[in-house]
Amino acid sequence: MQLKYDEKGLIPAVVQNAQTGKVLMLGYMNEESLELTKQKNQVVFFSRSRNELWHKGETSGNYLDVVSIAADCDGDSLLIKAVPHGPTCHTGEESCFFNNIEVSEPKESYDFHVVYDLFDVIKGRKENPIEGSYTNYLFDKGIDKILKKVGEESAETIIAAKNNAPDEIIYETSDLIYHLLVMLCDRGVDPKEIFNALHLRRSGKY
């Protein structure tokens, strides 16, 4: 496909976290920076303010490893899926898009990112304990208590499914997932690794 650069020879490029689907930032590329991006397998922009090539992460170390590059239907913008090394925004935020202008809660949500959000909260509790937190109670009691809760919630999920009770299945499965996330955090395993393993199974590599 023939890409359509603007009058300054630039094309906008949206960067998306390949593992979570979260939009990380918007930058601009010219032909040279796009070619360097493909060669390095790391995102290289063209900085409009500095009027020069910008290898994202060269100063901070927060590189963006490229997974895929796609053009939109008109060929005038790019979508880059990448794996970030640390926060993408210069403020230290994971994404540059953190200033909410308007937020509305949908009646139904199918956003799996809540798993990552919940894991971040759990990890935050472990690093910065809060008095009265149930999550901190589990960490304080240790892995045996955490695994006991995983077992209990697994059994309750099985019973709910055996009883064919949809509301109970949803409730108990949610409890099970939460306690599994606590276990993963305690053992130092990131949920991203689980999704990576599932992706490998889906692609037939297992």
Side-chain angles (χ1 to χ4, degrees), residues 3-40:
L3 296 178
K4 299 175 183 176
Y5 295 87
D6 65 16
E7 66 279 359
K8 295 182 180 179
L10 301 176
I11 188 170
V14 175
V15 180
Q16 181 183 30
N17 189 318
Q19 296 174 316
T20 69
K22 191 167 188 175
V23 175
L24 298 176
M25 68 174 295
L26 169 68
Y28 288 83
M29 292 182 166
N30 59 13
E31 290 187 29
E32 184 180 4
S33 67
L34 178 56
E35 186 58 35
L36 285 171
T37 295
K38 291 188 286 186
Q39 291 176 10
K40 295 175 178 291

Side-chain angles (χ1 to χ4, degrees), residues 20 26 31 36 44-45 59 66 80 104 110 115 140 154-155 166 192 199:
T20 69
L26 169 68
E31 290 187 29
L36 285 171
V44 179
F45 292 115
T59 301
V66 175
I80 300 175
S104 60
Y110 306 97
V115 172
D140 290 342
S154 297
K192 294 175 184 177
H199 174 72

Side-chain angles (χ1 to χ4, degrees), residues 24-87:
L24 298 176
M25 68 174 295
L26 169 68
Y28 288 83
M29 292 182 166
N30 59 13
E31 290 187 29
E32 184 180 4
S33 67
L34 178 56
E35 186 58 35
L36 285 171
T37 295
K38 291 188 286 186
Q39 291 176 10
K40 295 175 178 291
N41 285 323
Q42 290 185 334
V43 175
V44 179
F45 292 115
F46 183 85
S47 172
R48 296 176 298 168
S49 60
R50 300 195 302 268
N51 196 38
E52 63 182 12
L53 294 172
W54 168 34
H55 186 179
K56 173 65 177 170
E58 62 186 348
T59 301
S60 64
N62 298 330
Y63 297 101
L64 294 168
D65 291 342
V66 175
V67 173
S68 66
I69 303 174
D72 74 344
C73 56
D74 295 320
D76 57 7
S77 62
L78 300 174
L79 174 63
I80 300 175
K81 293 185 179 181
V83 177
H85 291 250

Side-chain angles (χ1 to χ4, degrees), residues 104-119:
S104 60
E105 292 294 332
K107 292 182 179 179
E108 293 183 340
S109 175
Y110 306 97
D111 189 351
F112 71 90
H113 299 140
V114 67
V115 172
Y116 293 104
D117 292 340
L118 179 55
F119 186 76

Side-chain angles (χ1 to χ4, degrees), residues 193-206:
E193 299 303 320
I194 308 301
F195 285 108
N196 286 342
L198 290 172
H199 174 72
L200 289 175
R201 296 186 186 193
R202 173 65 180 83
S203 61
K205 296 180 180 178
Y206 262 47

Side-chain angles (χ1 to χ4, degrees), residues 158-169:
I158 292 170
I159 293 171
K162 188 69 175 176
N163 292 338
N164 194 22
D167 288 344
E168 291 182 23
I169 292 172

Side-chain angles (χ1 to χ4, degrees), residues 67-139:
V67 173
S68 66
I69 303 174
D72 74 344
C73 56
D74 295 320
D76 57 7
S77 62
L78 300 174
L79 174 63
I80 300 175
K81 293 185 179 181
V83 177
H85 291 250
T88 299
C89 185
H90 72 282
T91 63
E93 293 287 339
E94 175 189 5
S95 166
C96 293
F97 297 96
F98 60 88
N99 292 307
N100 292 322
I101 296 175
E102 183 176 355
V103 178
S104 60
E105 292 294 332
K107 292 182 179 179
E108 293 183 340
S109 175
Y110 306 97
D111 189 351
F112 71 90
H113 299 140
V114 67
V115 172
Y116 293 104
D117 292 340
L118 179 55
F119 186 76
D120 285 342
V121 172
I122 291 170
K123 188 164 61 173
R125 292 289 188 272
K126 185 176 183 181
E127 295 171 352
N128 301 289
I130 295 179
E131 186 176 355
S133 164
Y134 174 67
T135 301
N136 283 133
Y137 163 78
L138 292 174
F139 284 133

